Amino acid sequence: MAVRGSLAASSAGLGRDEDAVLFLEGAHYRHDPRWLLPVAPRLCLACVLELLPEPGASLVRKRHMLSCFRDALLRHASLVAQLVAQDQRVCIHFISMLFGLLCSVEDGSVTDLCIEVLVQLTTQLKLEHIIHCLLDECHKQLCNMPSMQGSLAILTLLGKLVDAIPVLADELVKEHGNLIEHLMRGLVYPNEGVQASVCYLYGKLYASPVAAELLSGHFREKLCPLFLSTLDSAQTKELQINCLGLLRHLLKYDLFVSMIMNKFMLAGNAESVEGSSGEISLPLVLKKFLLSRDESLQVASTHCITSVLVHSPVKHAPAFIHADIPEFVFEHLSSSSEVLVWSSYNCLILLVEEPLFFSKCHTVYGIEAVVRSLQGSLKMTNTELHKQGLLLFAEILTRQPEEIQLFTSSAMCGDAARALQEAVSSPVLEVAAEAVKATSAFLRKDHQSALPVQFTALRALLEAMLSRCTEFSQTPLNMRALGHACRRESEKAILRRGQFLLNTLEGFRNACRLAVEFQGEPLAQENPFTAPSAEKEDTLEAFSEFLLSACDSLCIPMVMRYLEQTTHPGLMEVFLSILHSLFVIVPHMKEKFSKKLAASSFIRLTLELKARFCSGPSHSALNQVCSSFLYCMCLNLLSAPEKTEPPSSKELSAVSELLQQGLPQISSRGPESLAFLSDCQYVDGATRQRQYCILLLFYLAYIHEDRSVPRAELFLAVQRFLVSLQDQGERPPPVVFTASIYLLAICQDKDSALDEAVVSAIRKFLEGISDLRLVYTHHPLLLRFFLSNPELMSRFGHRVLELWFSWEHSSYEELDDVPSAGQFNLPTSLAALFQILRSSPSILLILLDLVYSSPVDVARNVLVILKTFLRRNEDIQVGGLIRGHFLLILQHLLVEHGTSPSGASGNLALLLSLLSLVQLRNKSEQELDSMAMKLLHQVSKLCGKCSPMDVDILQPSFNFLYWSLHQTTPNSQKRAAAVLLSSTTLIELLEKMLVLTWADTGSPAWTEGDSPRSALLCSAWLLTASLSAQQHVGGLQVHQTLSVELDQVMKTLSFPKKRAALLSAAILCFLRTALQQSFSSALVALVPSGTWPLSASKDTVLAPLGTSQVLYLVIGLQNLLVQKDHLLSQACIGCLEALLDFLHARSPDIALHVASQPWHRFLLSTLLDAGNSAFLRPEILRLMTLFVRYRSSSILSHEEVGHFLQDVALADLSDLSDTTLQALRGFLLQVQNVGLLADYSMTQTLQASLEGLSSTSLAQPPLRDMLYLGGVAVSLSHIRD
């Protein structure tokens, strides 16, 4: 009544509220407005309090009232709480009425509303006395109940209250301990609804650590078996879910896990989990839920298994494995539920920590499900699911015993590779990182043993992994922020990149290890059962070459970029182990790969790593990897050098042992290593070996352009090292001495000189070596090193140059084809050699010896180099030096091989060719000195001892003799001719040579084309003509005549066959000389052959020629002129001029007849068809001069001469050669002398042209007269005049 009075107080004068929710329309007007909710719905608490206990109110009305109150409480929780809390008595009364209604009503919907309102109201009020009051009422009700039949609502309320207010769990256990006993009664009550409520309340109690500790004894003594029995027998889903919920809370604590798992089984028992009769096994109970078709139960049971395993997989996993739990968890991986798949992943990740999991072959059974699940999950967007699946896959691949094959088919292995390929390509970094780890574990031999090995799939997987790593490593860092925060973020980003790169490299290293292991498997190499179309790609060889290529193009650049930011010793250990394994994987490429690494400064990089991280006992594994890598790379480089002789197997074995012992001990930086190498005190054996190793490392670095230490400091250190060796009486291994000499040569400056002690040590070491080839390294600076030191050059210069040219594999024939050496850029090696030769021309004598003594191919290169040097350095006068040395060689040869000089040396022809070149460098009109005369005598003597078949010797010899007769002063020419005429054997040889021109030898190569024999015949004819001319002019004594069949000469020229133009020109020169001498030479005897008899008495006037011979010869000359070869045309005109002079002297009529032949006009027309200025060619001008001289107006009329003069007056004469100008002058003078021009203006034109020629000819530089054409020395003036 007090409460009712409170509710009705101060209500006088209040009218009816139209907006209020009137539950008691007749009594609401009495209620105080403060009990009215100020917002809609305008609920009146007083009406509620009067309605709830009203016996006459229907249950439906009460339920509606509670529903409205609940809605108001949900919408305006704080306002309703304030409304209820205005009066403590009213509040307690309201709670009591609600609790009373809860206990008295059997309608489930009403009880649910009561429980919900009580829990929400209690939670919002937050009044301890209200909560205690409610707990006391619940406790009282449970104690007064004779059975648990009506306890469902109270138990449900308690569970909801503890769930809403977790701290109540501790208070309920501490202050209401008896209540726990009633919970035990409810758990055995045969009503699963009551049991479910009890389990729910237990779950909330055990969720509190304090309450759980207080209830631990209760659980151990009473609850555990009863709960497991309830869990096992639960039928309704509500009870099953609540039991599993309680179990999950219990399994949070190691104590309860041990109690539950050890209740019926001993730890580590490998027998059946069924247990004894009546006992319940948790694995079997959970297995039953796994087999249910309810996804929520499957997820809950999987979570429970995971919760047990979290505490100790090794301890508790066997029980679940023996219960075949993994089999059913694997089955769940095919579910479409992400939650179930996630739970299964977590459970299996813990199960795989137990070896029994693998020995029972669960992984073999479930790997296909894992792969398919992984393929399916990667199509989803849940990245956490991706990571867990990859983590499980990685754990299985890592822990799978080698003796148990995981993938039973090659197809399954390929599917796994493709799934991993898709995962490593994920844009989410965490997913890609997990995939890289799984890939690393996947690349194991036992995982890839199913034939045929899927090399193509593995390659695609590795390409995707490396591509993803490259993409991540090239992502720019965010450097926009400033300060320490930016630096920390940058450092974290670099660390993430380093970790990802490390994982990638570990995967790549496993791929390399896989390739190495497969090298010992014939079946893997052959890869049977592979489709023919994939034969070339799906092989171990192709996979191995891919690994090398991928490392070269992807791994190395990525690591180098990362090293620019930071250095990670663990990462570098993996990286260097990869490089080391590649030497074994692709053995045929190990030398090339080693050279590329050395050229990329990997020797310096490895030494810096050792110096930075391996100077102490730390990072011993890195030190071992660095040493092994350097060891293999150094051996590869030393066993296949490019510029030096490879060491013998014995030497290589010694170096191998040296490096193997010394490299692990080296951990010093460059300056420290130089100081160690320079140690001049007594050095023991172990220290000396370390010095050897350091020296070899510097040598291999420098030879591949890696300047790891300063040159000057290394130069001094190597000198001190060699002096130390000599002082201790030690002799270094050849490889070490090779390195020392090379480093000295490379590091020596132009101005620095070796100490005498160092030179003495080097000489002593070299003299103790059987062959300099063993320590020679082909390099221009090493050549300079030996040749610039007089002591070393005098002792070893010849051998060094010999080795130099033996290593020069390239041909220099193109240099010999360059007419002007300045137009061709020399190779670096030749430029260095030429610089040495300029500073010390005496070295040319060594080269001359090499031309004579070396193999032909080497000698030819030396000859070309000598020729090029002489052409490029005409200012250096070395002719006397070379000629004197050559004279000694030639004299020595003739003494030892007098009868057959051609068999003395195959290089004699090369020497003679060089001699010709030296002579050609001399200026014309130069007197022949005594040295030249001696050479002339020796060369003529040499020629006399040869046969016509010795073309290689005779050709340069004839060139030299021919030059001696033309490029000297008239006095020297006469002396030279006398020397040659005194050699009867030479004259006999020339006679034999000339006969070969028309002799039937069965080999047309003597006269056809540009063959060497044809060139030799040219020289023979030119030399004979020159000797004949000199003898005739000087009246020299003839010791041996030379017979030539005139008829054959005439026939050869009258009926020209296909032969070299130069040969025809040479024969024409001979015939011109004979005609100029009127066939009266004392040297040349022109004998008839009888093949062309005289036909008339008038032929005696032209003897020894006949008229028909003359006419045929003219026709032959016309045919040769039509060929329009410049040199041949000059020879033809010269011969025609001499023929007409000869005819004019014998019979002017015949000469005029020959000059007036009608065919001459056709010939002239043909020659003039070449262009408008064709007449300004020397041969045409000389031909027209002949026609003018003999007044052949039918050939060249007066009008045509006038036109020519006009054309000459208009022509630009500044570009004409001196030969053309001379011919033009001759033509103009001949026209002037004959008096063909009657017109005064033409006479003036002629005079003006002559005056213009005088000034033009003075401005023209003289042309070189002596040339080499097709290997034949030719004097242009001799051919022309």
Side-chain angles (χ1 to χ4, degrees):
M1 293 300 296
V3 173
R4 184 183 299 274
S6 175
L7 293 172
S10 304
S11 60
L14 287 179
R16 179 179 174 183
D17 191 341
E18 299 296 335
D19 296 329
V21 178
L22 303 178
F23 294 103
L24 294 174
E25 296 180 358
H28 178 63
Y29 68 94
R30 298 192 305 267
H31 298 155
D32 194 327
R34 66 191 181 110
W35 300 111
L36 186 66
L37 192 65
V39 295
R42 305 294 298 276
L43 181 69
C44 178
L45 181 61
C47 290
V48 173
L49 289 174
E50 289 191 17
L51 178 63
L52 286 179
E54 182 65 36
S58 67
L59 189 61
V60 174
R61 190 176 182 187
K62 293 180 179 180
R63 182 171 63 228
H64 176 68
M65 179 271 298
L66 287 174
S67 177
C68 292
F69 188 84
R70 181 198 61 188
D71 293 342
L73 190 59
L74 290 174
R75 293 169 60 186
H76 311 290
S78 60
L79 293 177
V80 173
Q82 293 174 10
L83 187 70
V84 176
Q86 291 181 89
D87 191 312
Q88 185 176 356
R89 292 174 303 162
V90 173
C91 179
I92 294 174
H93 178 66
F94 183 45
I95 296 295
S96 299
M97 281 193 299
L98 288 174
F99 184 76
L101 182 63
L102 173 68
C103 296
S104 60
V105 176
E106 295 182 358
D107 189 308
S109 60
V110 176
T111 57
D112 290 343
L113 283 172
C114 289
I115 292 172
E116 187 174 357
V117 170
L118 280 172
V119 171
Q120 290 182 8
L121 192 59
T122 305
T123 305
Q124 291 297 324
L125 289 174
K126 300 179 182 178
L127 299 174
E128 291 188 7
H129 67 279
I130 297 296
I131 295 174
H132 285 294
C133 178
L134 188 59
L135 290 179
D136 291 340
E137 287 296 327
C138 290
H139 191 183
K140 185 187 301 181
Q141 285 292 331
L142 289 175
C143 291
N144 295 331
M145 285 183 180
S147 69
M148 297 300 294
Q149 183 175 1
S151 64
L152 177 61
I154 298 175
L155 292 173
T156 303
L157 174 63
L158 285 173
K160 297 289 185 179
L161 279 174
V162 177
D163 181 44
I165 310 174
V167 294
L168 289 182
D170 301 339
E171 184 177 344
L172 195 63
V173 174
K174 292 177 182 178
E175 299 181 6
H176 301 276
N178 295 336
L179 185 64
I180 305 302
E181 299 299 326
H182 294 288
L183 295 181
M184 292 293 298
R185 291 170 51 203
L187 199 59
V188 297
Y189 187 74
N191 185 322
E192 291 201 351
V194 175
Q195 293 176 350
S197 298
V198 172
C199 288
Y200 182 80
L201 179 56
Y202 264 128
K204 301 308 174 182
L205 294 177
Y206 280 101
S208 169
V210 176
E213 184 177 1
L214 294 173
L215 292 174
S216 60
H218 170 73
F219 180 80
R220 178 175 54 253
E221 296 171 2
K222 299 179 181 179
L223 181 59
C224 182
L226 185 59
F227 165 67
L228 289 178
S229 176
T230 303
L231 177 64
D232 182 46
S233 60
Q235 299 296 320
T236 63
K237 184 176 180 180
E238 181 184 14
L239 178 58
Q240 292 172 337
I241 291 296
N242 288 349
C243 285
L244 290 173
L246 170 59
L247 181 62
R248 286 195 64 187
H249 289 302
L250 290 171
L251 295 178
K252 293 178 182 178
Y253 310 103
D254 186 67
L255 174 64
F256 297 136
V257 171
S258 299
M259 290 180 186
I260 294 173
M261 294 303 295
N262 295 336
K263 182 66 178 176
F264 306 107
M265 295 183 62
L266 295 175
N269 182 24
E271 296 178 0
S272 173
V273 295
E274 295 293 341
S276 60
S277 176
E279 294 179 349
I280 300 171
S281 167
L282 179 63
L284 293 179
V285 174
L286 295 178
K287 179 180 178 181
K288 180 179 67 174
F289 290 115
L290 288 177
L291 291 172
S292 69
R293 296 185 178 180
D294 191 302
E295 183 180 300
S296 59
L297 294 178
Q298 292 173 343
V299 172
S301 60
T302 306
H303 284 169
C304 291
I305 297 171
T306 304
S307 300
V308 173
L309 296 174
V310 163
H311 294 278
S312 177
V314 176
K315 182 178 180 181
H316 303 303
F320 293 101
I321 295 172
H322 282 297
D324 293 330
I325 294 294
E327 177 181 345
F328 301 102
V329 179
F330 275 127
E331 293 294 334
H332 291 165
L333 294 180
S334 60
S335 172
S336 59
S337 170
E338 293 185 15
V339 178
L340 181 56
V341 174
W342 165 268
S343 303
S344 302
Y345 281 158
N346 293 336
C347 180
L348 290 169
I349 288 172
L350 294 170
L351 283 172
V352 297
E353 296 185 28
E354 169 57 36
L356 185 64
F357 183 82
F358 299 95
S359 61
K360 289 286 188 177
C361 295
H362 285 296
T363 51
V364 179
Y365 170 81
I367 191 62
E368 183 175 358
V370 173
V371 172
R372 290 181 178 176
S373 172
L374 194 58
Q375 290 173 331
S377 66
L378 289 173
K379 294 179 174 59
M380 304 176 184
T381 58
N382 190 342
T383 57
E384 293 299 324
L385 188 65
H386 301 168
K387 290 193 292 184
Q388 286 300 104
L390 290 167
L391 178 60
L392 170 63
F393 194 30
E395 288 294 323
I396 292 175
L397 292 169
T398 303
R399 297 174 181 270
Q400 179 71 20
E402 294 183 4
E403 61 274 9
I404 302 176
Q405 185 173 348
L406 182 62
F407 298 99
T408 56
S409 69
S410 177
M412 177 56 61
C413 193
D415 291 340
R418 284 182 283 275
L420 289 174
Q421 178 183 347
E422 181 180 357
V424 296
S425 302
S426 171
V428 182
L429 181 62
E430 292 80 2
V431 175
E434 290 296 337
V436 169
K437 295 176 184 177
T439 300
S440 180
F442 178 66
L443 295 168
R444 262 174 41 184
K445 180 185 175 183
D446 53 294
H447 294 331
Q448 309 297 329
S449 57
L451 298 178
V453 181
Q454 298 286 328
F455 286 120
T456 303
L458 294 179
R459 173 173 177 170
L461 172 59
L462 290 172
E463 286 176 340
M465 180 179 71
L466 293 174
S467 176
R468 184 65 178 88
C469 187
T470 302
E471 176 187 347
F472 178 50
S473 65
Q474 292 178 346
T475 304
L477 296 174
N478 184 13
M479 304 297 290
R480 288 179 295 179
L482 300 176
H484 296 289
C486 172
R487 186 163 54 252
R488 286 195 300 269
E489 288 300 319
S490 177
E491 291 173 354
K492 290 180 181 178
I494 292 173
L495 288 176
R496 286 194 297 270
R497 289 186 177 184
Q499 187 59 48
F500 194 87
L501 177 58
L502 175 60
N503 294 337
T504 302
L505 291 176
E506 286 177 345
F508 196 83
R509 178 177 62 176
N510 288 349
C512 294
R513 184 183 296 118
L514 181 67
V516 172
E517 292 174 347
F518 273 145
Q519 286 183 345
E521 297 288 340
L523 290 178
Q525 293 181 22
E526 298 172 2
N527 215 17
F529 316 115
T530 306
S533 60
E535 184 176 354
K536 294 183 179 179
E537 297 180 0
D538 223 13
T539 61
L540 177 60
E541 181 181 2
F543 181 68
S544 301
E545 292 179 354
F546 157 74
L547 291 176
L548 178 61
S549 174
C551 179
D552 182 37
S553 59
L554 296 174
C555 293
I556 293 178
M558 282 192 294
V559 174
M560 293 297 103
R561 281 196 298 269
Y562 185 74
L563 284 179
E564 295 174 359
Q565 300 170 344
T566 185
T567 304
H568 191 296
L571 185 147
M572 294 308 297
E573 177 187 339
V574 176
F575 175 59
L576 292 177
S577 66
I578 290 173
L579 300 180
H580 177 258
S581 63
L582 286 172
F583 296 143
V584 182
I585 293 172
V586 194
H588 66 280
M589 293 290 289
K590 63 181 181 181
E591 290 85 6
K592 185 177 180 181
F593 186 50
S594 298
K595 291 172 184 176
K596 188 169 185 179
L597 292 175
S600 303
S601 302
F602 268 77
I603 295 178
R604 180 196 304 188
L605 171 65
T606 311
L607 291 176
E608 289 176 352
L609 284 173
K610 287 170 67 68
R612 181 175 178 182
F613 297 106
C614 306
S615 56
S618 60
H619 299 290
S620 58
L622 176 62
N623 185 31
Q624 182 61 40
V625 170
C626 289
S627 302
S628 300
F629 167 69
L630 282 176
Y631 168 76
C632 287
M633 183 168 66
C634 291
L635 278 188
N636 293 336
L637 295 173
L638 291 172
S639 60
E642 290 185 352
K643 299 297 184 180
T644 188
E645 191 75 13
S648 64
S649 58
K650 183 178 179 181
E651 292 173 350
L652 201 60
S653 176
V655 173
S656 172
E657 183 178 357
L658 173 71
L659 293 172
Q660 206 162 16
Q661 295 177 359
L663 286 175
Q665 309 303 321
I666 298 175
S667 58
S668 55
R669 300 184 183 274
E672 299 169 355
S673 298
L674 288 175
F676 180 73
L677 190 63
S678 304
D679 189 3
C680 295
Q681 298 179 358
Y682 178 80
V683 179
D684 58 22
T687 304
R688 185 68 78 191
Q689 283 193 338
R690 288 178 58 193
Q691 286 183 332
Y692 288 165
C693 287
I694 291 174
L695 192 70
L696 288 175
L697 290 173
F698 286 153
Y699 165 66
L700 293 174
Y702 261 74
I703 207 170
H704 292 92
E705 303 299 329
D706 179 10
R707 305 294 189 253
S708 53
V709 290
R711 291 172 53 191
E713 297 177 16
L714 181 58
F715 182 67
L716 293 176
V718 175
Q719 289 188 82
R720 292 172 183 170
F721 167 73
L722 291 176
V723 172
S724 172
L725 285 174
Q726 187 184 32
D727 292 343
Q728 292 189 200
E730 299 180 45
R731 183 175 297 278
V735 176
V736 175
F737 187 62
T738 301
S740 304
I741 295 296
Y742 177 83
L743 291 175
L744 286 177
I746 294 297
C747 300
Q748 184 182 19
D749 292 331
K750 293 181 179 180
D751 300 331
S752 61
L754 293 173
D755 295 337
E756 293 183 3
V758 178
V759 176
S760 175
I762 292 174
R763 189 186 70 251
K764 182 178 179 181
F765 293 145
L766 288 174
E767 289 173 348
I769 295 175
S770 59
D771 189 353
L772 194 61
R773 178 184 293 272
L774 299 176
V775 295
Y776 173 79
T777 303
H778 188 61
H779 197 281
L781 293 179
L782 188 120
L783 184 66
R784 188 193 71 178
F785 176 79
F786 274 95
L787 298 183
S788 61
N789 188 286
E791 188 173 351
L792 294 178
M793 187 189 75
S794 61
R795 181 66 179 83
F796 307 105
H798 186 282
R799 181 57 177 154
V800 168
L801 279 170
E802 187 178 19
L803 290 170
W804 166 270
F805 285 104
S806 68
W807 277 95
E808 283 291 302
H809 298 301
S810 59
S811 175
Y812 297 113
E813 296 296 334
E814 66 274 8
L815 290 175
D816 203 24
D817 296 334
V818 178
S820 176
Q823 300 174 2
F824 190 86
N825 292 327
L826 287 175
T828 305
S829 58
L830 280 190
L833 177 60
F834 282 8
Q835 186 178 4
I836 297 171
L837 293 177
R838 283 186 63 87
S839 61
S840 181
S842 60
I843 302 174
L844 292 172
L845 301 182
I846 301 177
L847 296 180
L848 200 61
D849 287 335
L850 289 177
V851 175
Y852 180 72
S853 60
S854 301
V856 176
D857 54 343
V858 175
R860 185 173 291 107
N861 276 343
V862 179
L863 175 66
V864 173
I865 289 171
L866 276 172
K867 287 182 178 180
T868 307
F869 176 76
L870 294 175
R871 291 194 192 105
R872 283 178 170 258
N873 300 274
E874 294 186 355
D875 57 317
I876 299 179
Q877 301 300 323
V878 294
L881 186 68
I882 292 179
R883 286 184 296 146
H885 197 68
F886 177 76
L887 180 60
L888 294 176
I889 294 175
L890 193 57
Q891 288 173 340
H892 177 72
L893 183 145
L894 290 175
V895 170
E896 290 192 357
H897 304 276
T899 58
S900 178
S902 60
S905 170
N907 304 336
L908 179 58
L910 301 178
L911 285 171
L912 290 166
S913 175
L914 178 63
L915 179 62
S916 301
L917 175 65
V918 173
Q919 292 293 81
L920 191 61
R921 293 176 80 236
N922 295 335
K923 297 179 180 179
S924 60
E925 302 299 325
Q926 183 178 6
E927 289 284 346
L928 295 180
D929 56 10
S930 60
M931 181 67 70
M933 297 304 295
K934 291 178 181 178
L935 275 174
L936 193 64
H937 173 71
Q938 294 295 338
V939 172
S940 63
K941 187 177 179 181
L942 174 67
C943 292
K945 296 179 179 295
C946 294
S947 71
M949 297 301 174
D950 298 325
V951 178
D952 292 340
I953 295 177
L954 289 177
Q955 183 62 67
S957 300
F958 282 180
N959 288 340
F960 173 72
L961 299 180
Y962 182 77
W963 176 92
S964 301
L965 292 174
H966 287 275
Q967 292 296 100
T968 57
T969 61
N971 186 40
S972 292
Q973 289 178 357
K974 184 175 180 180
R975 292 169 55 207
V979 171
L980 297 183
L981 290 173
S982 65
S983 177
T984 58
T985 55
L986 173 61
I987 303 301
E988 292 174 354
L989 174 66
L990 289 174
E991 183 176 351
K992 296 177 183 177
M993 293 295 304
L994 300 184
V995 172
L996 292 175
T997 306
W998 43 77
D1000 186 9
T1001 60
S1003 175
W1006 277 103
T1007 57
E1008 291 185 2
D1010 297 328
S1011 67
R1013 294 182 178 183
S1014 177
L1016 182 59
L1017 285 180
C1018 294
S1019 295
W1021 282 104
L1022 291 173
L1023 184 58
T1024 303
S1026 300
L1027 284 175
S1028 177
Q1030 291 293 334
Q1031 185 278 327
H1032 187 76
V1033 172
L1036 301 177
Q1037 183 181 0
V1038 176
H1039 302 274
Q1040 176 72 36
T1041 59
L1042 187 151
S1043 300
V1044 179
E1045 295 182 10
L1046 179 59
D1047 296 343
Q1048 292 291 348
V1049 174
M1050 299 299 291
K1051 183 179 179 181
T1052 299
L1053 296 174
S1054 301
F1055 306 99
K1057 299 179 180 179
K1058 183 181 178 181
R1059 60 171 55 88
L1062 185 58
L1063 178 58
S1064 298
I1067 300 174
L1068 286 170
C1069 284
F1070 171 81
L1071 181 58
R1072 184 196 65 201
T1073 302
L1075 289 169
Q1076 289 172 346
Q1077 297 172 1
S1078 297
F1079 302 103
S1080 60
S1081 172
L1083 174 63
V1084 179
L1086 295 172
V1087 297
S1089 60
T1091 59
W1092 209 325
L1094 298 178
S1095 58
S1097 59
K1098 61 180 180 179
D1099 288 340
T1100 57
V1101 179
L1102 305 179
L1105 297 178
T1107 304
S1108 59
Q1109 286 180 306
V1110 171
L1111 295 176
Y1112 281 123
L1113 176 61
V1114 172
I1115 295 174
L1117 293 176
Q1118 291 175 345
N1119 292 332
L1120 292 174
L1121 280 169
V1122 172
Q1123 295 182 16
K1124 298 183 180 181
D1125 180 87
H1126 175 70
L1127 195 64
L1128 180 58
S1129 298
Q1130 293 279 6
C1132 287
I1133 296 300
C1135 185
L1136 184 58
E1137 290 173 343
L1139 176 62
L1140 290 175
D1141 289 341
F1142 171 77
L1143 294 176
H1144 189 267
R1146 297 290 182 93
S1147 175
D1149 294 336
I1150 296 178
L1152 182 59
H1153 174 72
V1154 170
S1156 304
Q1157 288 292 317
W1159 284 103
H1160 290 325
R1161 182 168 181 81
F1162 177 76
L1163 171 65
L1164 187 60
S1165 300
T1166 302
L1167 296 176
L1168 290 173
D1169 282 343
N1172 294 330
S1173 301
F1175 71 96
L1176 291 177
R1177 287 164 51 190
E1179 61 271 20
I1180 296 178
L1181 289 170
R1182 290 173 65 185
L1183 184 61
M1184 291 193 301
T1185 302
L1186 283 176
F1187 296 149
V1188 173
R1189 175 184 171 188
Y1190 288 97
R1191 302 178 181 270
S1192 302
S1193 58
S1194 61
I1195 308 300
L1196 188 63
S1197 65
H1198 297 175
E1199 291 78 9
E1200 290 173 328
V1201 172
H1203 290 311
F1204 285 136
L1205 290 177
Q1206 291 177 356
D1207 291 341
V1208 170
L1210 297 175
D1212 182 11
L1213 307 180
S1214 60
D1215 294 334
L1216 298 181
S1217 66
D1218 187 58
T1219 303
T1220 305
L1221 293 174
Q1222 290 179 7
L1224 180 58
R1225 176 184 292 275
F1227 171 71
L1228 296 177
L1229 289 174
Q1230 189 65 49
V1231 171
Q1232 188 180 47
N1233 293 336
V1234 173
L1236 293 178
L1237 302 177
D1239 190 353
Y1240 177 76
S1241 62
M1242 295 304 298
T1243 304
Q1244 292 298 319
T1245 302
L1246 173 64
Q1247 189 63 34
S1249 298
L1250 285 172
E1251 293 175 359
L1253 283 175
S1254 300
S1255 60
T1256 304
S1257 61
L1258 293 175
Q1260 292 294 328
L1263 297 176
R1264 195 179 188 97
D1265 182 60
M1266 185 66 71
L1267 299 176
Y1268 275 96
L1269 301 176
V1272 180
V1274 178
S1275 171
L1276 296 180
S1277 60
H1278 181 216
I1279 296 291
R1280 183 176 62 249
D1281 304 327

